[in-house]
Amino acid sequence: MKIEEIENEIIDEFSMFDEWMGKYEHIIEMGKSLPLIEEKYKTDDRLIKGCQSKVWLHSELKDGKIFFTADSDAIITKGLVAMMVRVLSGHTSDEILAAKMDFVEKIGLKEHLSPTRANGLVNMIKQMKLDSLAYKAKV
Amino acid sequence: MTSTKVISEEKIAFDINNIRNDFPILSRKVNGKPLIYLDSGATAQKPKQVIDAIEKYYSEQNANIHRAVHRLSQDITTIYENARTTVQKHINAKHVHEIIFTHGTTESINLVATTFGKKFVNAGDEILITEMEHHSNILPWQQLCEEKNAVLKVVPINSEGELIMDEFKKLLSAKTKIVAITHTSNTLGTINPIKEIISLAHANNIPVLVDGAQSIPHTKVNVQELDADFYCFSGHKVFGPTGVGVLYGKEEWLRKLPNYQVGGGTIKTVSFAKTEYADIPLRFEAGTPNIEGGIGLAVALDYINNIGFENISAYEHELLEYATEKLSVVEGLKIIGTSKNKASVISFVIDKIHPYDIGVILDQLGIAVRTGHHCTQPIMDKFGIPGTVRASLAFYNTKDEIDELVKGITKAKQMLR
């Protein structure tokens, strides 16, 4: 599936919830499907800065596509990072770099994109794009 | 949402409904729910009296102070200097020129660390702080120690979040140049025995700087009775505007300190050959100050004095006891900071749940708490936790709001398990 298709899929899922509770329960649920980062990669240099909770992110290049694994010590943050991984993982550098990620706003989680929000969602996206850029430079 | 409580009938009645009506923001909604503001330790809300004073300043009074002969400038200079007198009286300073307006507690501490350090701290000297300090009362001293090759000594705290006084006594030495300590911990709520600490330090001829940011909103501070050498606080935490704060310094100390920032307002005469500086306090107030901040701060102090600290303290103590009791029975909840002598600040952690997750769910319910390390990372290290959830209460909060907090926590626990 293309990035945009996954985004639309997520928008559809969230459209089922009228209330914030359902949305957050869905985020928490998504966290359970996050491809977990290997313990050995949970190092300080893989911590995403600007998060109140800890978020580790690792990326690997396989057959020209980038795959992410991650983890967080906070459940909601873990759900948010899982959502980002679901959207971006398994795509090429160019696809990841071109992703607008505006679906976050469309599913009513705009407040999480504010720079004052300490979950670092903005920093997660930035780091995933930076990793992609680094692979692009290598290829 | 509110309950009426009359605490003192002699002075003005402490009517919580009337008080809440003074704070316009308390009637707004957040995420479709009535705002429950439990983050006054970060910044307090402002009564309409303060908001009106700021509006009046810009719509009727704006001019620069200490600068011109015209009417507006003269009037506003008088109002601004009266604000200084209000602060002086509020903390019972001996002289009005012992009150320096700054940008806030952080700048007040930096001013002393920089100027005192320049003149009085040398290689091998010691500066004594405590484990419960806010980063703003650690970093200026840490930086000074690095610059001067001096040594930063830290008084430890016990598991209740209280200073270990025996350790404090042991760490006071002939090398100690200054003690810098918080009056009330922003994270633990602990009220330190500041008078005893000052008296012990003075017995060794060591001056003391007190970070009063968290005590000024909750208690009447008397700097002469405490015998503090320096006392710092922020306007915004005491129901006044942001960007204004106070450094109180004993006259003899302020006169000894070298200049901090210099520029317009700090001088008597300037020439390229020689500049003659103004007397205190203006020598420490370079540039056009936060005029509306100073005025608003004075209005805020008048406002709380009108309610009366005896009323405020009694009511906040009751809220603290109520919240402590209600939170203590939440399964898996542990209060961090259990000193008997506490201000109305409650930090807590919940078994296996990250404070951030609780904060997000509470926010959805319209409840504003702070989560994280509260700029006191050494305390988090001490207790081995990533952060806490902190509910900091002010006199405009109610028991109903505490009930809502407990309900919110229960809901968060259900969702996050």
Side-chain angles (χ1 to χ4, degrees), chain A:
Chain A
M1 254 198 281
K2 286 183 183 166
I3 287 180
E4 216 181 293
E5 287 166 353
I6 305 171
E7 287 183 351
N8 286 333
E9 192 179 77
I10 294 174
I11 292 169
D12 274 355
E13 286 168 20
F14 274 89
S15 69
M16 294 189 293
F17 308 111
D18 300 330
E19 271 229 54
W20 67 272
M21 260 186 78
K23 276 182 192 171
Y24 278 88
E25 276 164 354
H26 189 55
I27 293 169
I28 292 166
E29 203 53 41
M30 248 191 266
K32 292 174 186 164
S33 61
L34 171 69
L36 286 179
I37 186 169
E38 282 185 59
E39 282 300 315
K40 66 175 178 186
Y41 292 140
K42 282 192 175 179
T43 49
D44 283 356
D45 60 320
R46 286 187 180 83
L47 273 176
I48 291 177
K49 290 181 183 68
C51 301
Q52 213 177 78
S53 50
K54 285 185 174 171
V55 179
W56 296 269
L57 180 77
H58 175 65
S59 59
E60 272 173 41
L61 187 69
K62 273 184 225 158
D63 305 327
K65 288 174 179 174
I66 298 161
F67 291 86
F68 295 98
T69 54
D71 201 2
S72 172
D73 58 350
I75 294 175
I76 294 170
T77 313
K78 192 172 167 181
L80 291 171
V81 74
M83 191 157 71
M84 298 303 125
V85 170
R86 180 175 156 196
V87 172
L88 295 180
S89 202
H91 296 278
T92 65
S93 295
D94 285 338
E95 286 165 348
I96 294 170
L97 288 168
K100 287 196 203 110
M101 306 301 277
D102 50 2
F103 77 100
V104 178
E105 221 174 307
K106 290 179 186 154
I107 59 176
L109 293 174
K110 192 182 164 191
E111 73 262 27
H112 286 280
L113 289 174
S114 130
T116 57
R117 201 78 195 195
N119 65 36
L121 188 54
V122 174
N123 292 327
M124 279 180 214
I125 298 170
K126 198 170 150 193
Q127 190 57 51
M128 292 167 104
K129 292 204 171 199
L130 278 173
D131 281 13
S132 307
L133 198 62
Y135 286 120
K136 190 179 158 78
K138 273 187 207 163
V139 171

Side-chain angles (χ1 to χ4, degrees), chain B residues 50-66:
Chain B
V50 169
I51 299 166
D52 289 349
I54 294 168
E55 193 191 338
K56 184 175 178 187
Y57 167 71
Y58 281 116
S59 46
E60 294 174 30
Q61 302 167 323
N62 179 43
N64 210 331
I65 57 164
H66 302 136

Side-chain angles (χ1 to χ4, degrees), chain B residues 292-342:
Chain B
E292 79 277 22
I295 295 166
L297 171 58
V299 174
L301 295 176
D302 285 342
Y303 177 82
I304 51 176
N305 283 321
N306 195 30
I307 297 173
F309 266 108
E310 59 282 17
N311 290 325
I312 291 172
S313 298
Y315 182 70
E316 287 184 348
H317 187 72
E318 198 180 311
L319 280 183
L320 174 69
E321 299 250 292
Y322 185 78
T324 306
E325 188 193 316
K326 291 282 169 183
L327 288 169
S328 298
V329 295
V330 175
E331 203 195 322
L333 186 146
K334 187 183 171 203
I335 293 175
I336 304 291
T338 47
S339 172
K340 283 186 189 71
N341 201 9
K342 267 182 76 170

Side-chain angles (χ1 to χ4, degrees), chain B residues 106-314:
Chain B
T106 302
E107 194 193 26
S108 300
I109 297 170
N110 272 280
L111 190 159
V112 176
T114 305
T115 58
F116 182 93
K118 198 188 265 180
K119 191 159 173 183
F120 296 106
V121 178
N122 296 301
D125 286 344
E126 292 173 1
I127 288 163
L128 190 54
I129 63 169
T130 84
E131 205 173 6
M132 68 167 83
E133 298 310 313
H134 188 283
H135 294 164
S136 288
N137 200 26
I138 300 175
L139 305 186
W141 306 109
Q142 191 176 50
Q143 182 170 279
L144 170 65
C145 286
E146 281 166 12
E147 281 166 11
K148 293 278 193 160
N149 252 330
V151 184
L152 191 65
K153 294 277 182 180
V154 183
V155 184
I157 55 175
N158 64 22
S159 57
E160 308 287 313
E162 295 166 324
L163 275 188
I164 303 174
M165 287 303 286
D166 283 346
E167 294 294 326
F168 173 72
K169 287 172 200 162
K170 274 189 226 160
L171 284 167
L172 273 181
S173 81
K175 291 179 184 169
T176 312
K177 287 290 149 147
I178 190 165
V179 174
I181 181 167
T182 188
H183 195 162
T184 300
S185 162
N186 68 310
T187 301
L188 304 163
T190 312
I191 301 170
N192 285 317
I194 217 74
K195 201 173 169 182
E196 184 191 350
I197 285 164
I198 291 171
S199 137
L200 285 164
H202 284 179
N204 293 278
N205 292 316
I206 302 162
V208 179
L209 173 141
V210 183
D211 168 358
Q214 295 290 338
S215 49
I216 284 280
H218 301 294
T219 184
K220 189 82 179 169
V221 169
N222 182 332
V223 290
Q224 288 192 77
E225 196 201 329
L226 291 176
D227 205 17
D229 301 284
F230 300 102
Y231 198 98
C232 314
F233 66 94
S234 298
H236 72 101
K237 290 197 203 287
V238 65
F239 316 97
T242 53
V244 68
V246 169
L247 167 65
Y248 157 80
K250 277 184 187 164
E251 179 177 7
E252 59 263 40
W253 274 116
L254 291 179
R255 290 200 188 286
K256 279 185 222 168
L257 296 184
N259 292 336
Y260 182 49
Q261 295 178 338
V262 292
T266 64
I267 53 98
K268 279 182 187 159
T269 59
V270 174
S271 74
F272 289 114
K274 172 83 185 157
T275 291
E276 200 186 336
Y277 282 93
D279 202 352
I280 56 170
L282 298 187
R283 178 160 67 86
F284 292 107
E285 295 180 354
T288 295
N290 181 349
I291 301 170
E292 79 277 22
I295 295 166
L297 171 58
V299 174
L301 295 176
D302 285 342
Y303 177 82
I304 51 176
N305 283 321
N306 195 30
I307 297 173
F309 266 108
E310 59 282 17
N311 290 325
I312 291 172
S313 298

